[in-house]
Amino acid sequence: VAGLAPSDAEEDPRHNELREMRDGLVDAMNKADIDGMLKFCHPKIVYTPQDGTLLEGPQAIRDYSNKMLNGPGHLVDKLTVHPVADRLAVFYGDTTAVASGHSEDEFKLTDGRNFKLKSRWTASVVKEDGKWLITSLHISSNLFDNPILDMLKGAIIKAALGGLALGVILMG
């Protein structure tokens, strides 16, 4: 991220390692490649997606992803994520880092609706056996201003107008 590090200081090469990990994870997520996603996860990962579900461990993430993307009655037909770090990751010693940022993700639902959801994320990673792994990932969205809430408001207005029209017809 430009402007966050002193211009005369050389950037820590671990940031490029984290960028490579992020790019691999994003590529797997956008292909709905669950195995590809899980190779970036620590065996004890704790993940909270936008719906607030607490997922602990790779199997919980696999089950959740299959339920949302592949299983009977799944809701999401396609998900495209675009995470951007707001600043360089903060390193704690040689093998731990915390990164944070934002994303504007595109959802295509199985009922044909599409929307973009803005969110914030925070990720903690550790380096084990020369590889960076996500230990925790939390993603949240604005509870009071989001496209899902807008869809619900639209449905309520349509229902109210429909009820009003029906009442006028029945009274007339």
Side-chain angles (χ1 to χ4, degrees):
V1 175
L4 293 180
S7 59
D8 58 346
E10 192 169 314
E11 183 178 283
D12 189 318
R14 294 177 295 176
H15 290 294
N16 283 331
E17 295 172 4
L18 293 177
R19 288 180 186 109
E20 288 177 25
M21 179 193 70
R22 178 206 56 210
D23 292 346
L25 177 63
V26 167
D27 183 59
M29 290 181 74
N30 288 340
K31 291 178 180 174
D33 175 3
I34 297 169
D35 289 329
M37 292 185 303
L38 293 177
K39 77 179 190 177
F40 297 100
C41 298
H42 191 277
K44 295 181 181 179
I45 186 172
V46 176
Y47 170 46
T48 305
Q50 289 97 328
D51 68 359
T53 302
L54 177 63
L55 304 170
E56 296 182 72
Q59 188 59 47
I61 294 172
R62 178 185 303 285
D63 293 345
Y64 176 85
S65 297
N66 278 323
K67 174 184 147 192
M68 297 302 285
L69 296 166
N70 305 317
H74 66 281
L75 299 173
V76 180
D77 189 43
K78 182 167 177 54
L79 169 63
T80 306
V81 298
H82 305 282
V84 176
D86 291 335
R87 59 183 173 81
L88 293 173
V90 176
F91 291 103
Y92 299 90
D94 294 332
T95 60
T96 304
V98 175
S100 62
H102 64 278
S103 192
E104 186 168 341
D105 305 328
E106 301 166 41
F107 289 80
K108 179 179 178 191
L109 303 182
T110 54
D111 66 6
R113 290 182 290 175
N114 297 296
F115 64 91
K116 290 183 179 182
L117 183 64
K118 293 179 182 180
S119 59
R120 302 266 333 140
W121 56 268
T122 303
S124 299
V125 296
V126 296
K127 192 171 191 178
E128 290 185 355
D129 299 322
K131 181 179 174 184
W132 288 101
L133 299 170
I134 302 167
T135 57
S136 67
L137 176 61
H138 188 103
I139 306 172
S140 62
S141 298
N142 187 329
L143 175 65
F144 302 107
D145 182 18
N146 65 66
I148 296 170
L149 187 58
D150 293 342
M151 283 188 260
L152 289 172
K153 288 177 191 174
I156 290 169
I157 290 170
K158 287 178 186 175
L161 291 174
L164 179 63
L166 182 61
V168 167
I169 291 169
L170 292 175
M171 291 179 71

